[in-house]
Short mmCIF file of all heavy atoms in Angstrom, two decimals:
data_model
loop_
_atom_site.label_atom_id
_atom_site.label_comp_id
_atom_site.label_asym_id
_atom_site.label_seq_id
_atom_site.Cartn_x
_atom_site.Cartn_y
_atom_site.Cartn_z
N GLU A 1 125.54 117.57 125.19
CA GLU A 1 126.93 117.84 124.81
C GLU A 1 126.87 118.81 123.64
O GLU A 1 125.79 119.19 123.19
CB GLU A 1 127.68 116.56 124.48
CG GLU A 1 127.06 115.76 123.36
CD GLU A 1 127.74 114.42 123.16
OE1 GLU A 1 128.87 114.25 123.60
OE2 GLU A 1 127.11 113.56 122.55
N LEU A 2 128.02 119.22 123.14
CA LEU A 2 128.03 120.13 122.00
C LEU A 2 127.35 119.46 120.81
O LEU A 2 127.60 118.30 120.52
CB LEU A 2 129.47 120.52 121.65
CG LEU A 2 130.22 121.31 122.71
CD1 LEU A 2 131.64 121.60 122.23
CD2 LEU A 2 129.52 122.60 123.03
N GLY A 3 126.47 120.19 120.16
CA GLY A 3 125.75 119.64 119.01
C GLY A 3 124.39 119.06 119.35
O GLY A 3 123.62 118.71 118.46
N THR A 4 124.04 118.97 120.62
CA THR A 4 122.73 118.45 121.03
C THR A 4 121.65 119.46 120.68
O THR A 4 121.84 120.66 120.82
CB THR A 4 122.71 118.18 122.55
OG1 THR A 4 123.74 117.26 122.87
CG2 THR A 4 121.38 117.60 122.99
N ILE A 5 120.50 118.98 120.25
CA ILE A 5 119.36 119.83 119.91
C ILE A 5 118.52 120.03 121.17
O ILE A 5 118.17 119.08 121.85
CB ILE A 5 118.50 119.19 118.80
CG1 ILE A 5 119.36 118.83 117.58
CG2 ILE A 5 117.34 120.12 118.42
CD1 ILE A 5 120.10 119.97 116.95
N VAL A 6 118.20 121.30 121.47
CA VAL A 6 117.36 121.63 122.62
C VAL A 6 116.27 122.60 122.19
O VAL A 6 116.33 123.20 121.12
CB VAL A 6 118.19 122.23 123.78
CG1 VAL A 6 119.18 121.22 124.33
CG2 VAL A 6 118.89 123.50 123.37
N ILE A 7 115.26 122.74 123.06
CA ILE A 7 114.16 123.66 122.82
C ILE A 7 114.25 124.79 123.83
O ILE A 7 114.46 124.56 125.02
CB ILE A 7 112.79 122.95 122.99
CG1 ILE A 7 112.69 121.72 122.10
CG2 ILE A 7 111.64 123.92 122.75
CD1 ILE A 7 112.62 122.02 120.63
N TYR A 8 114.08 126.02 123.35
CA TYR A 8 114.07 127.21 124.21
C TYR A 8 113.03 128.16 123.65
O TYR A 8 113.12 128.58 122.48
CB TYR A 8 115.45 127.86 124.26
CG TYR A 8 115.52 129.15 125.03
CD1 TYR A 8 115.40 129.16 126.41
CD2 TYR A 8 115.72 130.36 124.39
CE1 TYR A 8 115.48 130.34 127.13
CE2 TYR A 8 115.81 131.54 125.09
CZ TYR A 8 115.68 131.53 126.47
OH TYR A 8 115.75 132.71 127.18
N ARG A 9 112.02 128.47 124.43
CA ARG A 9 110.91 129.34 124.01
C ARG A 9 110.30 128.87 122.69
O ARG A 9 110.12 129.64 121.74
CB ARG A 9 111.38 130.78 123.89
CG ARG A 9 111.77 131.38 125.23
CD ARG A 9 112.05 132.84 125.11
NE ARG A 9 112.43 133.38 126.41
CZ ARG A 9 112.85 134.60 126.61
NH1 ARG A 9 112.96 135.44 125.59
NH2 ARG A 9 113.17 135.01 127.81
N LYS A 10 110.02 127.58 122.62
CA LYS A 10 109.34 126.92 121.49
C LYS A 10 110.14 126.95 120.18
O LYS A 10 109.60 126.75 119.10
CB LYS A 10 107.96 127.53 121.27
CG LYS A 10 107.04 127.39 122.47
CD LYS A 10 105.70 128.01 122.19
CE LYS A 10 104.82 127.92 123.43
NZ LYS A 10 103.53 128.55 123.23
N LYS A 11 111.45 127.19 120.26
CA LYS A 11 112.30 127.16 119.07
C LYS A 11 113.44 126.18 119.29
O LYS A 11 113.88 125.98 120.42
CB LYS A 11 112.87 128.55 118.77
CG LYS A 11 111.82 129.56 118.39
CD LYS A 11 112.45 130.90 118.06
CE LYS A 11 111.38 131.92 117.72
NZ LYS A 11 111.94 133.25 117.51
N GLN A 12 113.90 125.58 118.20
CA GLN A 12 115.01 124.63 118.29
C GLN A 12 116.35 125.34 118.17
O GLN A 12 116.51 126.26 117.37
CB GLN A 12 114.93 123.60 117.16
CG GLN A 12 113.98 122.48 117.40
CD GLN A 12 114.15 121.39 116.36
OE1 GLN A 12 115.00 121.48 115.46
NE2 GLN A 12 113.35 120.35 116.46
N TYR A 13 117.30 124.85 118.97
CA TYR A 13 118.67 125.35 118.94
C TYR A 13 119.63 124.18 119.01
O TYR A 13 119.31 123.15 119.60
CB TYR A 13 118.95 126.28 120.13
CG TYR A 13 118.17 127.57 120.09
CD1 TYR A 13 116.88 127.64 120.60
CD2 TYR A 13 118.73 128.72 119.56
CE1 TYR A 13 116.16 128.83 120.57
CE2 TYR A 13 118.02 129.91 119.53
CZ TYR A 13 116.74 129.95 120.04
OH TYR A 13 116.04 131.13 120.00
N LYS A 14 120.78 124.35 118.40
CA LYS A 14 121.86 123.36 118.51
C LYS A 14 122.91 123.94 119.45
O LYS A 14 123.41 125.04 119.22
CB LYS A 14 122.46 123.07 117.14
CG LYS A 14 123.55 122.00 117.18
CD LYS A 14 123.99 121.58 115.80
CE LYS A 14 124.77 122.70 115.16
NZ LYS A 14 125.40 122.33 113.90
N ILE A 15 123.25 123.21 120.51
CA ILE A 15 124.18 123.72 121.51
C ILE A 15 125.57 123.89 120.90
O ILE A 15 126.11 122.97 120.30
CB ILE A 15 124.24 122.77 122.72
CG1 ILE A 15 122.90 122.79 123.45
CG2 ILE A 15 125.37 123.16 123.66
CD1 ILE A 15 122.83 121.84 124.62
N CYS A 16 126.12 125.10 121.09
CA CYS A 16 127.47 125.38 120.59
C CYS A 16 128.43 125.75 121.72
O CYS A 16 129.64 125.84 121.50
CB CYS A 16 127.43 126.50 119.55
SG CYS A 16 126.82 128.07 120.18
N HIS A 17 127.90 125.97 122.93
CA HIS A 17 128.75 126.33 124.06
C HIS A 17 128.05 125.92 125.36
O HIS A 17 126.86 126.17 125.52
CB HIS A 17 129.00 127.84 124.07
CG HIS A 17 129.81 128.33 125.22
ND1 HIS A 17 131.18 128.24 125.24
CD2 HIS A 17 129.45 128.87 126.40
CE1 HIS A 17 131.62 128.73 126.39
NE2 HIS A 17 130.59 129.12 127.12
N ILE A 18 128.79 125.28 126.24
CA ILE A 18 128.26 124.91 127.55
C ILE A 18 129.12 125.61 128.59
O ILE A 18 130.34 125.48 128.59
CB ILE A 18 128.32 123.38 127.77
CG1 ILE A 18 127.49 122.66 126.72
CG2 ILE A 18 127.83 123.03 129.18
CD1 ILE A 18 127.62 121.16 126.75
N GLN A 19 128.47 126.37 129.47
CA GLN A 19 129.21 127.07 130.52
C GLN A 19 129.42 126.13 131.69
O GLN A 19 128.49 125.52 132.20
CB GLN A 19 128.45 128.31 130.98
CG GLN A 19 129.19 129.09 132.03
CD GLN A 19 128.46 130.37 132.40
OE1 GLN A 19 127.61 130.85 131.67
NE2 GLN A 19 128.81 130.91 133.55
N ILE A 20 130.65 125.99 132.12
CA ILE A 20 130.99 125.16 133.26
C ILE A 20 130.45 125.86 134.51
O ILE A 20 130.80 127.02 134.76
CB ILE A 20 132.51 124.95 133.38
CG1 ILE A 20 133.08 124.34 132.11
CG2 ILE A 20 132.84 124.10 134.60
CD1 ILE A 20 132.61 122.95 131.82
N PRO A 21 129.61 125.20 135.30
CA PRO A 21 129.07 125.86 136.49
C PRO A 21 130.14 126.08 137.55
O PRO A 21 131.06 125.28 137.69
CB PRO A 21 128.00 124.87 136.98
CG PRO A 21 128.38 123.57 136.41
CD PRO A 21 129.13 123.84 135.14
N PHE A 22 130.00 127.17 138.27
CA PHE A 22 130.93 127.47 139.35
C PHE A 22 130.43 126.77 140.61
O PHE A 22 129.30 126.97 141.03
CB PHE A 22 131.01 128.98 139.59
CG PHE A 22 131.95 129.35 140.69
CD1 PHE A 22 133.32 129.30 140.48
CD2 PHE A 22 131.48 129.73 141.93
CE1 PHE A 22 134.20 129.64 141.49
CE2 PHE A 22 132.35 130.07 142.94
CZ PHE A 22 133.70 130.02 142.72
N GLY A 23 131.23 125.93 141.18
CA GLY A 23 130.81 125.18 142.36
C GLY A 23 130.02 123.94 141.97
O GLY A 23 129.87 123.61 140.80
N LEU A 24 129.51 123.26 142.95
CA LEU A 24 128.75 122.04 142.70
C LEU A 24 127.29 122.38 142.53
O LEU A 24 126.52 122.41 143.48
CB LEU A 24 128.95 121.05 143.85
CG LEU A 24 130.38 120.56 144.04
CD1 LEU A 24 130.47 119.72 145.30
CD2 LEU A 24 130.82 119.77 142.84
N SER A 25 126.88 122.68 141.32
CA SER A 25 125.51 123.06 141.03
C SER A 25 124.76 121.87 140.43
O SER A 25 125.26 121.19 139.55
CB SER A 25 125.50 124.22 140.05
OG SER A 25 124.19 124.51 139.65
N LEU A 26 123.56 121.63 140.94
CA LEU A 26 122.73 120.55 140.40
C LEU A 26 121.77 121.08 139.34
O LEU A 26 121.05 120.31 138.73
CB LEU A 26 121.95 119.88 141.53
CG LEU A 26 122.80 119.21 142.61
CD1 LEU A 26 121.91 118.66 143.71
CD2 LEU A 26 123.65 118.11 142.03
N ASP A 27 121.74 122.41 139.14
CA ASP A 27 120.86 123.00 138.16
C ASP A 27 121.36 122.71 136.75
O ASP A 27 122.48 122.28 136.54
CB ASP A 27 120.79 124.52 138.35
CG ASP A 27 120.24 124.90 139.71
OD1 ASP A 27 119.47 124.09 140.28
OD2 ASP A 27 120.58 125.99 140.20
N LYS A 28 120.50 123.00 135.79
CA LYS A 28 120.91 122.86 134.39
C LYS A 28 122.01 123.86 134.09
O LYS A 28 121.96 125.00 134.53
CB LYS A 28 119.73 123.15 133.46
CG LYS A 28 118.66 122.11 133.46
CD LYS A 28 117.61 122.52 132.46
CE LYS A 28 116.45 121.57 132.45
NZ LYS A 28 115.41 122.03 131.51
N PRO A 29 123.01 123.45 133.31
CA PRO A 29 124.07 124.40 132.95
C PRO A 29 123.54 125.43 131.96
O PRO A 29 122.62 125.16 131.19
CB PRO A 29 125.13 123.52 132.32
CG PRO A 29 124.39 122.34 131.82
CD PRO A 29 123.25 122.12 132.76
N TRP A 30 124.11 126.61 132.00
CA TRP A 30 123.77 127.63 131.01
C TRP A 30 124.46 127.25 129.71
O TRP A 30 125.61 126.83 129.69
CB TRP A 30 124.25 128.99 131.47
CG TRP A 30 123.36 129.59 132.52
CD1 TRP A 30 122.48 128.93 133.33
CD2 TRP A 30 123.28 130.95 132.89
NE1 TRP A 30 121.86 129.80 134.17
CE2 TRP A 30 122.34 131.06 133.93
CE3 TRP A 30 123.92 132.09 132.46
CZ2 TRP A 30 122.01 132.27 134.52
CZ3 TRP A 30 123.60 133.30 133.05
CH2 TRP A 30 122.65 133.38 134.06
N VAL A 31 123.72 127.39 128.61
CA VAL A 31 124.25 127.03 127.30
C VAL A 31 124.00 128.15 126.31
O VAL A 31 123.16 129.01 126.52
CB VAL A 31 123.64 125.71 126.77
CG1 VAL A 31 123.94 124.55 127.68
CG2 VAL A 31 122.15 125.84 126.56
N LYS A 32 124.74 128.12 125.21
CA LYS A 32 124.50 128.97 124.06
C LYS A 32 124.16 128.05 122.90
O LYS A 32 124.68 126.93 122.81
CB LYS A 32 125.73 129.80 123.70
CG LYS A 32 126.04 130.90 124.68
CD LYS A 32 127.22 131.73 124.21
CE LYS A 32 127.51 132.83 125.21
NZ LYS A 32 128.65 133.66 124.76
N GLY A 33 123.27 128.51 122.02
CA GLY A 33 122.87 127.67 120.91
C GLY A 33 122.72 128.45 119.62
O GLY A 33 122.52 129.66 119.63
#
């Protein structure tokens, strides 16, 4: 959810935006951090 800590390319990021997937996607949602 917003504020969750994630790892991307060995660096930590705090999620600030979650993109709502178009259609019924089971993949990970695209996020900004």
Side-chain angles (χ1 to χ4, degrees):
E1 58 186 341
L2 296 178
T4 302
I5 306 301
V6 296
I7 305 291
Y8 176 70
R9 294 187 180 174
K10 300 180 183 178
K11 295 182 182 175
Q12 279 190 1
Y13 293 85
K14 182 172 71 171
I15 293 177
C16 62
H17 178 81
I18 300 173
Q19 182 176 341
I20 303 294
F22 180 75
L24 297 173
S25 174
L26 299 176
D27 299 333
K28 289 182 183 177
W30 283 20
V31 299
K32 289 184 180 180

